[in-house]
């Protein structure tokens, strides 16, 4: 009962207070009864709680992610545009599917699938093809093949996505007026045996299996092009090659003709591949020994492209079929031969002359002159041919087909550039036998603009 009375008095006191406070609020001053727990409203300071900290971090991360995505999309677009532009003028890498390569036992030295660079042609040249076999010397010992298997001349794994197409492969009308609209293929050289290796089982060196299957690589590339491009309906085909690739083109071109029965015309361009037998400064036949070792190591004797030649010789001298001047006697396809009477690679590697060419001692110059005489003799059958062409410079260069000298006046014979001579030969406008027979000392003065 007492508690009820207290409760009633308390409610009356609160009503009176509210009534009194409402009346005073209309005045100038506000009356705050003493004893009531009423506080003035204040802004609380910002507190750095863990939850707020996490929220801020998350917001920051979202912003960073968005910026990265925007930049990535922008870069992808730029990269696509750059690659698209490159693919219009350069060759884009195509690696054969592993299953396709395995079905043909076609492998690079390291066991990876072979490949090629391609740029498709434009009308009216889109039914014509140039197949170019890349240079890169050879591996003539297991150790050399092992070392090559870790490089771009022994594996397709580390090959660049694009390769600049210049010279005979160029898409520039000014640089390559006769063929710039053609389909262009540059075959990746990864077998170390001029696309002629025919070793049935892998060669094991330092625990690594090495595949010397160049003949199968070449066949697989041609098969794949026939199946997956319009190469099977080609009208004109040129098989070209430089250095070791030039030797490969020489020996493979007739065999290629047998596969392309519907093609109207097939020709070969052989660049920097006159590996004649000549003694070096020590009296050794280094070039002959190298080709002999390649022949046996890669078991080339029974390769389909060379078998007609090797079957006519005893096994002890079958390696002579890798001598281009000897194999030329078995050739049927018309060829255009490009070389130097003073091949810079041959002088350095086969003749073992490493002195600066302008400062070589007289005894070295004598060896160079002997080598030049050997080339002149080797060219006699080509000079007499009514189908084959020649462009022989005296300038000390090695290859010309993919270099700036392809259409440059600095390396010309009788004021005719290489591409002009090639055009005359291919279009049957001229016999196209151009030979610049100058002495070595004279050449060093007339070829000043050429790097050697």
């Amino acid at each position: 009962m007492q508690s009820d009375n207290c409760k009633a008095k308390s409610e009356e006191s609160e009503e009176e207070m509210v009534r009194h406070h409402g009346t005073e609020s209309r005045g100038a001053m506000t009356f705050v009864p003493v004893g009531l727990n009423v506080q003035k409203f204040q802004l609380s300071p910002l507190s750095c709680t863990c939850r707020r900290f996490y929220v801020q971090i998350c917001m920051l991360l979202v912003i960073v992610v968005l910026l990265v995505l925007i930049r990535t999309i922008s870069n992808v677009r730029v990269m696509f545009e750059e690659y698209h532009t490159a693919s219009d003028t350069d060759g884009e890498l195509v690696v054969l599917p592993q299953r396709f390569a395995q079905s043909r036992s076609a492998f690079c030295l390291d066991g990876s699938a072979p490949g090629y660079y391609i740029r498709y042609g434009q009308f009216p040249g889109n039914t014509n093809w140039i197949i170019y076999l890349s240079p890169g010397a050879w591996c003539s010992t297991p150790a050399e093949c092992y070392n090559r298997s870790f490089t771009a001349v022994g594996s397709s794994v580390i090959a660049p996505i694009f390769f600049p197409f210049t010279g005979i492969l160029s898409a520039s009308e000014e640089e390559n007026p006769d063929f710039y609209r053609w389909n262009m293929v540059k075959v990746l050289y990864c077998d170390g045996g001029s696309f002629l290796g025919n070793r049935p089982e892998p060669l094991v060196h330092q625990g690594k299996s090495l595949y010397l299957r160049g003949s199968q690589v070449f066949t697989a590339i041609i098969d794949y092009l026939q199946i997956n491009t319009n190469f099977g309906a080609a009208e004109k085909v040129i098989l070209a090659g430089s250095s070791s690739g030039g030797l490969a083109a020489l020996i493979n071109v007739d065999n290629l003709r047998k596969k392309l029965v519907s093609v109207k015309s097939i020709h070969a361009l052989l660049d920097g591949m006159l590996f004649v037998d000549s003694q070096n400064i020590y009296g050794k036949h280094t070039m002959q020994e190298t080709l002999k070792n390649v022949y046996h190591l890669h078991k080339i004797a029974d390769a389909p492209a060379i078998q007609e030649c090797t079957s006519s010789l005893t096994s002890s001298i079958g390696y002579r079929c890798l001598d281009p001047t000897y194999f030329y006697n078995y050739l049927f396809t018309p060829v255009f031969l490009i070389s130097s009477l003073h091949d810079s690679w041959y002088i350095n590697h086969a003749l073992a002359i490493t002195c600066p060419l302008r400062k070589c001692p007289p005894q070295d110059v004598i060896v160079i002159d002997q080598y030049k005489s050997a080339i002149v003799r080797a060219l006699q059958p080509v000079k007499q041919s009514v189908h084959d062409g020649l462009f022989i410079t005296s300038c000390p260069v090695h290859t010309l087909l993919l270099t700036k000298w392809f259409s440059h006046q600095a390396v010309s014979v009788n004021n005719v550039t290489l591409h002009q001579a090639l055009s005359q030969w291919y279009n049957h406008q001229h016999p196209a036998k151009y030979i610049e027979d100058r002495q070595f000392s004279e050449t060093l003065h007339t070829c000043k603009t050429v790097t050697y």
Side-chain angles (χ1 to χ4, degrees):
M1 185 72 174
Q2 187 176 357
S3 62
D4 293 338
N5 291 335
C6 291
K7 184 177 181 180
K9 288 181 179 180
S10 176
E11 290 176 353
E12 289 176 357
S13 175
E14 288 179 2
E15 290 176 0
E16 183 180 353
M17 180 192 68
V18 170
R19 187 169 52 252
H20 184 79
H21 178 69
T23 304
E24 294 294 338
S25 64
R26 289 190 290 269
M29 298 180 62
T30 301
F31 174 74
V32 180
V34 178
L36 287 177
N37 190 20
V38 179
Q39 296 182 355
K40 220 175 187 183
F41 175 77
Q42 295 180 349
L43 288 174
S44 62
L46 292 174
S47 61
C48 186
T49 64
C50 289
R51 183 177 180 182
R52 178 171 293 179
F53 177 75
Y54 288 141
V55 171
Q56 292 172 346
I57 290 295
C58 289
M59 291 294 293
L60 181 61
L61 289 175
V62 169
I63 294 172
V64 171
V65 170
L66 287 174
L67 290 175
V68 170
L69 285 174
I70 292 172
R71 185 174 180 83
T72 301
I73 293 172
S74 177
N75 287 342
V76 168
R77 181 178 178 182
V78 171
M79 289 171 62
F80 174 78
E81 290 175 352
E82 290 177 351
Y83 282 0
H84 180 71
T85 301
S87 65
D88 289 342
T89 57
D90 297 341
E92 185 175 0
L93 179 65
V94 175
V95 177
L96 271 56
Q98 194 69 26
R99 183 176 297 179
F100 188 92
Q102 288 178 345
S103 67
R104 289 160 173 78
S105 298
F107 306 106
C108 295
L109 284 171
D110 68 338
S112 58
Y116 58 87
Y117 295 92
I118 188 167
R119 191 193 72 242
Y120 290 98
Q122 300 176 348
F123 183 83
N126 57 337
T127 58
N128 304 326
W129 291 76
I130 290 181
I131 309 296
Y132 178 82
L133 304 182
S134 306
W138 312 269
C139 58
S140 58
T141 67
E144 290 176 355
C145 293
Y146 175 81
N147 292 333
R148 284 172 71 104
S149 70
F150 297 98
T151 70
V153 288
S155 174
S156 64
V157 175
I158 57 177
I161 298 175
F162 291 98
F163 190 90
F165 275 10
T166 55
I168 189 68
L169 302 181
S170 174
S172 166
E173 182 178 6
E174 181 179 0
E175 183 180 3
N176 187 25
D178 290 280
F179 310 107
Y180 74 102
R181 291 185 183 273
W182 285 34
N183 298 286
M184 302 294 183
V185 173
K186 180 181 182 293
V187 183
L188 189 67
Y189 181 36
C190 65
D191 66 278
S194 284
F195 298 96
L196 294 169
N198 195 42
R199 193 181 185 99
E201 300 297 330
L203 172 69
V204 179
H205 184 76
Q206 294 191 14
K208 184 175 184 178
S209 295
L210 303 171
Y211 297 85
L212 282 61
R213 309 283 290 166
S215 180
Q216 286 73 23
V217 166
F218 181 76
T219 300
I221 294 292
I222 297 302
D223 288 348
Y224 192 80
L225 288 171
Q226 287 181 300
I227 296 170
N228 294 278
T229 70
N230 68 337
F231 181 64
E235 294 185 6
K236 299 178 182 178
V237 173
I238 293 177
L239 182 63
S242 297
S243 192
S244 56
L247 180 61
L250 167 72
I251 297 176
N252 277 294
V253 68
D254 280 350
N255 203 45
L256 178 63
R257 174 186 289 274
K258 296 176 184 176
K259 290 178 67 69
L260 306 179
V261 293
S262 62
V263 174
K264 293 181 179 179
S265 70
I266 298 180
H267 296 74
L269 306 182
L270 313 176
D271 177 31
M273 44 66 70
L274 275 181
F275 304 113
V276 299
D277 178 28
S278 187
Q279 286 187 352
N280 66 14
I281 58 175
Y282 305 110
K284 296 181 178 180
H285 295 262
T286 301
M287 193 73 255
Q288 184 185 73
E289 286 301 313
T290 298
L291 293 177
K292 182 178 180 179
N293 292 337
V294 171
Y295 177 84
H296 290 298
L297 181 67
H298 292 254
K299 296 191 180 300
I300 293 175
D302 295 326
I306 203 173
Q307 198 169 17
E308 181 182 355
C309 177
T310 57
S311 62
S312 65
L313 301 173
T314 62
S315 58
S316 61
I317 59 172
Y319 67 88
R320 291 186 59 189
C321 292
L322 284 185
D323 181 339
T325 60
Y326 185 84
F327 188 86
Y328 178 80
N329 298 314
Y330 291 85
L331 192 65
F332 176 77
T333 304
V335 298
F336 188 84
L337 201 150
I338 306 154
S339 191
S340 168
L341 294 179
H342 306 106
D343 188 304
S344 56
W345 182 90
Y346 194 101
I347 289 173
N348 291 152
H349 294 82
L351 300 184
I353 296 175
T354 58
C355 56
L357 295 184
R358 294 182 185 277
K359 300 179 181 180
C360 285
Q363 60 268 28
D364 287 359
V365 175
I366 292 174
V367 174
I368 293 174
D369 287 341
Q370 291 173 346
Y371 160 64
K372 190 195 85 164
S373 298
I375 292 181
V376 172
R377 289 193 299 271
L379 290 175
Q380 291 305 314
V382 188
K383 290 173 65 176
Q384 296 170 6
S385 169
V386 296
H387 302 293
D388 302 331
L390 284 170
F391 185 87
I392 309 298
T393 179
S394 291
C395 292
V397 295
H398 180 41
T399 64
L400 293 170
L401 272 183
L402 297 194
T403 70
K404 63 181 179 180
W405 310 120
F406 176 70
S407 57
H408 202 288
Q409 198 68 32
V411 182
S412 60
V413 179
N414 297 333
N415 292 321
V416 177
T417 65
L418 170 56
H419 90 80
Q420 290 171 339
L422 176 58
S423 178
Q424 292 174 5
W425 171 75
Y426 190 76
N427 294 302
H428 308 289
Q429 298 172 349
H430 196 274
K433 310 280 188 182
Y434 292 95
I435 302 178
E436 181 187 50
D437 189 358
R438 296 176 182 268
Q439 295 298 319
F440 181 66
S441 57
E442 183 183 358
T443 295
L444 298 179
H445 295 288
T446 58
C447 301
K448 292 181 179 179
T449 59
V450 180
T451 302
Y452 50 85

